[in-house]
Amino acid sequence: MRKTYQMVEKALVARLLKGDPKPGCTLESERDLAQSFSVSRATVREALQKLQNAGWISVQQRHCTVVNDFWSQGDLELISSITRNSEDFPPDLASHFLELRVQFAPDYARRAVENNAAGLAEILARADKVRNCAGSLVKYDWELHMAMAVMSGNRIYPLILNSFSSVYSKLRTALFTREEYRLQARKYYREMLQAASTGNAILAESITRGAMKLRLDSFQIQFGGMQGLPAPA
């Protein structure tokens, strides 16, 4: 099978995540990388361009390629790059995403009730009709949170969620295979429906904060000992 730039990109992302080479150090030359991967220099150059666009590396003068301090210099494109290229998605990064949701999900839930309580209640009322299986609940849960993010009026929230969409699907599918977590989710939907129906934005914020903390705890219990999550499809 012909090797493409995606294969080179994927291999280099795996190395960079392991700290090989470390930020501030240089990558091998295009010539050496081409020999190492048995591909053309043009293929290597295309892979390096993708990595530079995502914030992993910077191509300096004389074609010297330096590894960036990507955790502090990267942006949401870096997450997309990891999602696209990782065989085993880093569980610590997934945990950090869930920690982040504990912070911003309560805010977009409160804002959604403030801005469109009736619309949110309509979405939440559909929860009882969702099939009690992992796939159906993952789809509904994603649509609910994206709707709240959009209803919040903060345009950054949907961008953040979309950047983690594949990871989110894997996380929720893994958790929703267990009945106890499906019950937790349904309890959250019922409580949120009550808050939205009464227009109680502060209650929605409190309910969501508690539910997101519970999901984080559930993830850490279930995946704390894993080397990595399956790569998002």
Side-chain angles (χ1 to χ4, degrees):
M1 183 175 64
R2 179 178 176 271
K3 293 184 178 180
T4 64
Y5 80 86
Q6 291 99 330
M7 298 172 67
V8 177
E9 180 188 8
K10 185 175 183 179
L12 290 175
V13 165
R15 284 179 49 186
L16 293 170
L17 283 172
K18 294 176 181 177
D20 176 27
K22 296 183 181 299
C25 298
T26 58
L27 281 177
E28 300 97 309
S29 66
E30 285 185 5
R31 183 190 301 276
D32 290 341
L33 287 170
Q35 291 178 348
S36 175
F37 290 110
S38 300
V39 297
S40 68
R41 291 182 65 177
T43 297
V44 169
R45 193 172 301 120
E46 191 169 3
L48 293 179
Q49 184 62 54
K50 292 290 185 180
L51 294 177
Q52 180 168 250
N53 291 344
W56 295 97
I57 60 175
S58 294
V59 178
Q60 308 291 343
Q61 291 182 347
R62 298 182 181 179
H63 302 290
C64 174
T65 303
V66 177
V67 178
N68 293 332
D69 185 4
F70 45 83
W71 289 126
S72 63
Q73 297 175 342
D75 54 25
L76 292 179
E77 178 57 31
L78 185 75
I79 300 299
S80 297
S81 179
I82 296 173
T83 301
R84 185 173 62 249
N85 291 293
S86 296
E87 287 292 344
D88 293 314
F89 194 86
D92 58 335
L93 187 58
S95 181
H96 291 161
F97 166 60
L98 293 177
E99 289 176 4
L100 180 64
R101 284 221 314 169
V102 173
Q103 303 302 317
F104 68 74
D107 185 64
Y108 65 57
R110 174 180 56 78
R111 290 169 179 248
V113 173
E114 290 174 344
N115 295 335
N116 192 358
L120 179 57
E122 183 178 345
I123 295 172
L124 287 160
R126 301 204 307 263
D128 284 342
K129 298 180 181 179
V130 177
R131 293 176 57 200
N132 192 37
C133 64
S136 296
L137 277 172
V138 166
K139 184 175 183 295
Y140 173 79
D141 199 74
W142 170 255
E143 291 174 352
L144 170 63
H145 280 271
M146 180 55 71
M148 289 194 292
V150 172
M151 290 176 181
S152 75
N154 186 321
R155 295 179 180 178
I156 300 301
Y157 285 150
L159 296 181
I160 294 174
L161 287 181
N162 279 325
S163 297
F164 282 93
S165 60
S166 295
V167 180
Y168 181 87
S169 178
K170 287 291 182 181
L171 293 177
R172 301 309 301 150
T173 298
L175 285 174
F176 282 162
T177 55
R178 300 180 60 170
E179 177 67 15
E180 63 181 296
Y181 299 141
R182 295 199 295 271
L183 291 174
Q184 287 176 7
R186 290 190 179 279
K187 179 175 182 290
Y188 170 64
Y189 306 149
R190 289 194 301 271
E191 292 179 348
M192 280 296 292
L193 176 58
Q194 176 71 18
S197 298
T198 58
N200 194 331
I202 298 302
L203 179 59
E205 179 180 32
S206 176
I207 291 169
T208 300
R209 180 174 293 106
M212 295 304 100
K213 286 181 178 178
L214 185 59
R215 292 186 183 187
L216 172 60
D217 292 342
S218 298
F219 170 81
Q220 291 176 335
I221 290 171
Q222 186 164 344
F223 298 106
M226 292 180 62
Q227 293 300 311
L229 294 174

